[in-house]
Amino acid sequence: LLGAYLAGLAVGAFVSGIFCRDSAAVGKRKYLRHIAVFVVLANLCGFLVLPLLAWVTSRSATHPAFGMIALSAAMLGAVLPLVSHFGVAPDAAAGRHVSYLYAGNIAGSVLGSFLTGFVLLDALRNSTIAAILVGLGCATAAGLLVLSGLRRATLAPCLVGLAAVIGCTAAATPKLFEQFYEKLLLGQQFTPDARFADLLENRSGVIAVTTDGTVYGGGVYDGRFSTDLREDRNNILRAYLIGALHPSPRHVLLVGLGTGSWAQVIAHHPSVESLTVVEVNPGYVQLLSKHPDVASLLSNPKVTIVIDDGRRWLTSHGARFDMIISNTPFHWRAQSTNLLSTEYCQVVRSHLNPGGVYYFNTTGSAAALKTAMLEFPYGLRFMILSAVSDRPIAFDRARLRGILTHYRIDGRPVLDLELASDRKRLEQVLGSLQVESRASILARLTSTPVVTDDNMYPEWHPAFAE
């Protein structure tokens, strides 16, 4: 993406030299017309990149949309040399004037990124923002044409044409962006009847919910709205296991809300008195009220939901917990190192009470597993989850049996042991728990590297997976 963008800027700047061969053209207003044309083309190409990418993704594995990105960037790349040629005279003050031009360019780039990333993305859909940018580009072009000295007979149809471009873009946007995220997510498996039940866009990302309650965050599986241990569709058993890892966790921190399913299970653990949930994307909180399995979290007096980055929140708060739990996203996702590195383990360790347990999802990263085991003197692994502590951890099946026997969520029993099927399920759960010791883990991972904030192994070296 960055390569296509920078290559486009370079090519556009080079090609614009064709329009800058007249050394006496400084200040000639006709050059504003060239700039106006490139501004409009750049915005139109940029607008079409998104629907083109979705359309192509739903039909093949190739991505010619990068060509559209390069083309759009080329139009933008042509603007700066033309503006320089128009506004900077080749005299003793040329350097100063060029510096003004660059200062304006940098300030505009920063302001545009800030307004889009921190304001518009929280207020509008991506499709709407793209259409607005076309409108702003056409408005800029109209101003340039007015200043270029065009005769009224020529200017009027140009302005009408720009207005038509704005109108056509606004009219076409809903159709062009119809099922946009369905196409991107499903790819060649996309069908016209595929539609998300819910879709939330904000500056933290895009959350999509399918009709069966499956959630995708940023285009990647992020769980399901379910606390059902009988028909465990989302491995929710992992959340119930805290009963086997700590004898009486009273104060718990959960980093990442997701669907809220883990939070709902943990909040109803018999010994939990308070659950603090830190979630970076407020969209997940908005979804809770729409799904009965987790809706009561919003009114549960035990639960406090904080919108913040988990690591940042920990470094700025001194609270300590009996358990810190993180159902970490896939280790190869961007920024996952922040929740898997040695440095993060040290932050977590400083927020645990004596005997406290850090319980997290390694998502199959052998490097993340080894890192936690080296940072803490005691630990074990169950499936792809790791539990580590400063004191020995006893994986107590008998205690877990007692807790599951009486576990209730919103007043409803998780398992009804009067039913033969539920008794069978309980035995099945308890019999499936295979635990690996810290010594065994370290013995077989001798050549596996440790994750640090600097090397970012989980994101860049997928070969070190379990």
Side-chain angles (χ1 to χ4, degrees):
L1 177 65
L2 184 60
Y5 180 75
L6 293 177
L9 288 179
V11 171
F14 178 79
V15 172
S16 68
I18 297 173
F19 301 93
C20 301
R21 291 173 179 169
D22 182 1
S23 59
V26 176
K28 288 187 177 180
R29 292 192 295 172
K30 70 174 184 178
Y31 277 88
L32 295 177
R33 303 167 197 171
H34 300 318
I35 297 171
V37 170
F38 280 115
V39 167
V40 173
L41 291 176
N43 281 277
L44 279 176
C45 290
F47 171 79
L48 293 172
V49 164
L50 295 175
L52 176 65
L53 177 61
W55 184 82
V56 172
T57 300
S58 67
R59 286 164 172 77
S60 73
T62 60
H63 293 292
F66 288 124
M68 285 293 292
I69 291 170
L71 181 60
S72 177
M75 302 299 137
L76 289 173
V79 171
L80 185 60
L82 288 172
V83 172
S84 301
H85 195 63
F86 168 77
V88 180
D91 55 23
R96 185 171 73 251
H97 292 154
V98 169
S99 72
Y100 296 157
L101 185 64
Y102 265 86
N105 181 54
I106 293 169
S109 297
V110 172
L111 182 62
S113 297
F114 177 81
L115 289 176
T116 302
F118 286 89
V119 179
L120 295 181
L121 287 177
D122 266 347
L124 303 169
R125 288 180 173 270
N126 283 344
S127 56
T128 304
I129 296 171
I132 288 173
L133 291 175
V134 173
L136 291 175
C138 289
T140 301
L144 291 171
L145 291 178
V146 171
L147 295 173
S148 71
L150 278 177
R151 290 178 298 176
R152 183 174 298 179
T154 306
L155 178 61
C158 289
L159 296 180
V160 170
L162 289 173
V165 170
I166 295 174
C168 289
T169 301
T173 296
K175 185 64 178 177
L176 288 174
F177 284 84
E178 186 177 11
Q179 296 172 280
F180 174 70
Y181 290 110
E182 287 88 343
K183 293 172 184 174
L184 287 180
L185 182 64
L186 298 175
Q188 296 179 64
Q189 281 72 51
F190 170 79
T191 57
D193 60 342
R195 291 186 180 276
F196 291 129
D198 214 337
L199 187 69
L200 292 174
E201 300 176 65
N202 57 42
R203 73 187 189 197
S204 297
V206 179
I207 305 171
V209 184
T210 64
T211 53
D212 68 350
T214 303
V215 177
Y216 292 88
V220 180
Y221 174 78
D222 215 7
R224 290 186 173 91
F225 292 100
S226 176
T227 59
D228 189 353
L229 191 57
R230 296 182 177 95
E231 297 182 12
D232 192 351
R233 302 186 304 137
N234 54 342
N235 279 329
I236 197 63
L237 168 63
R238 299 171 299 171
Y240 287 98
L241 286 183
I242 66 172
L245 298 171
H246 194 290
S248 182
R250 295 186 300 135
H251 305 291
V252 179
L253 171 68
L254 177 63
V255 178
L257 174 65
T259 64
S261 300
W262 275 58
Q264 184 74 311
V265 170
I266 295 166
H268 285 83
H269 186 282
S271 69
V272 170
E273 297 174 8
S274 70
L275 171 64
T276 302
V277 184
V278 183
E279 170 58 54
V280 72
N281 191 335
Y284 288 105
V285 181
Q286 294 176 246
L287 288 173
L288 293 181
S289 62
K290 302 178 181 180
H291 297 272
D293 283 349
V294 295
S296 64
L297 276 173
L298 296 172
S299 57
N300 191 327
K302 293 183 181 180
V303 179
T304 300
I305 300 176
V306 180
I307 302 301
D308 200 349
D309 173 80
R311 181 163 173 173
R312 179 173 60 192
W313 188 89
L314 276 170
T315 56
S316 60
H317 289 75
R320 289 179 175 266
F321 302 90
D322 299 312
M323 290 194 76
I324 295 178
I325 302 170
S326 178
N327 190 11
T328 320
F330 292 103
H331 63 84
W332 40 260
R333 295 186 70 176
Q335 303 170 25
S336 65
T337 298
N338 287 329
L339 299 179
L340 297 173
S341 67
T342 293
E343 292 85 350
Y344 180 68
C345 287
Q346 292 167 354
V347 172
V348 168
R349 192 173 182 180
S350 68
H351 285 78
L352 286 172
N353 288 322
V357 175
Y358 173 38
Y359 180 49
F360 75 102
N361 189 350
T362 68
T363 66
S365 170
L369 177 61
K370 179 179 179 179
T371 299
M373 292 298 159
L374 288 177
E375 187 57 38
F376 289 82
Y378 301 97
L380 52 83
R381 179 184 70 88
F382 167 74
M383 294 174 62
I384 57 174
L385 286 103
S386 170
V388 288
S389 177
D390 282 333
R391 296 183 182 178
I393 303 175
F395 193 85
D396 194 328
R397 286 178 170 80
R399 184 173 64 233
L400 179 61
R401 176 189 292 275
I403 291 173
L404 291 180
T405 299
H406 301 96
Y407 220 115
R408 304 178 78 85
I409 293 180
D410 290 339
R412 296 186 298 274
V414 170
L415 294 173
D416 184 354
L417 297 188
E418 293 185 3
L419 300 176
S421 58
D422 281 13
R423 292 196 298 272
K424 180 180 179 180
R425 175 58 179 158
L426 177 61
E427 298 305 321
Q428 183 183 52
V429 165
L430 294 172
S432 68
L433 304 178
Q434 301 299 317
V435 178
E436 184 181 14
S437 69
R438 178 177 181 272
S440 171
I441 293 167
L442 293 178
R444 66 181 177 82
L445 298 181
T446 54
S447 61
T448 302
V450 172
V451 183
T452 70
D453 286 347
D454 294 329
N455 64 31
M456 302 175 69
Y457 265 103
E459 298 174 59
W460 296 104
H461 299 271
F464 291 107
E466 282 275 68

